Amino acid sequence: MSESEREITGLVLALAGYLVHDVHEEMPFILLDSLEAIDSERIAQLVEYLEQYASYIVVALLPEDASALDDDYQRIAEI
């Protein structure tokens, strides 16, 4: 498997475990980082889907990927 395929597989398995084992009921928080292997449109779809499970979603994105998300999302540009 290529590096990007391993990253996607790991992400899918982690999110599946989060949902199947109802982790979202105890820990309504998701932190996503290193999503460069996914295009910006799919990242936006993923975040939108996860909103129904997690009250808090933190996603570290490159500016071009962040532009695909709705402007309604709170953004932190500098720390």
Side-chain angles (χ1 to χ4, degrees):
M1 278 187 165
S2 69
E3 182 179 350
S4 63
E5 289 170 330
R6 288 190 307 267
E7 290 174 358
I8 297 298
T9 302
L11 175 63
V12 169
L13 291 174
L15 292 175
Y18 180 81
L19 298 175
V20 168
H21 296 288
D22 296 324
V23 175
H24 62 278
E25 293 176 2
E26 296 294 321
M27 181 66 67
F29 184 91
I30 294 178
L31 172 63
L32 299 172
D33 191 9
S34 300
L35 296 177
E36 291 83 19
I38 306 172
D39 65 86
S40 57
E41 183 179 319
R42 286 188 176 88
I43 292 171
Q45 291 173 348
L46 176 64
V47 170
E48 184 177 321
Y49 175 76
L50 292 174
E51 281 183 324
Q52 62 186 312
Y53 297 102
S55 301
Y56 305 96
I57 303 172
V58 177
V59 186
L61 295 173
L62 298 170
E64 55 270 18
D65 291 332
S67 66
L69 294 172
D70 289 337
D71 291 333
D72 296 337
Y73 291 106
Q74 183 178 2
R75 300 168 193 271
I76 300 171
E78 289 184 32
I79 295 178

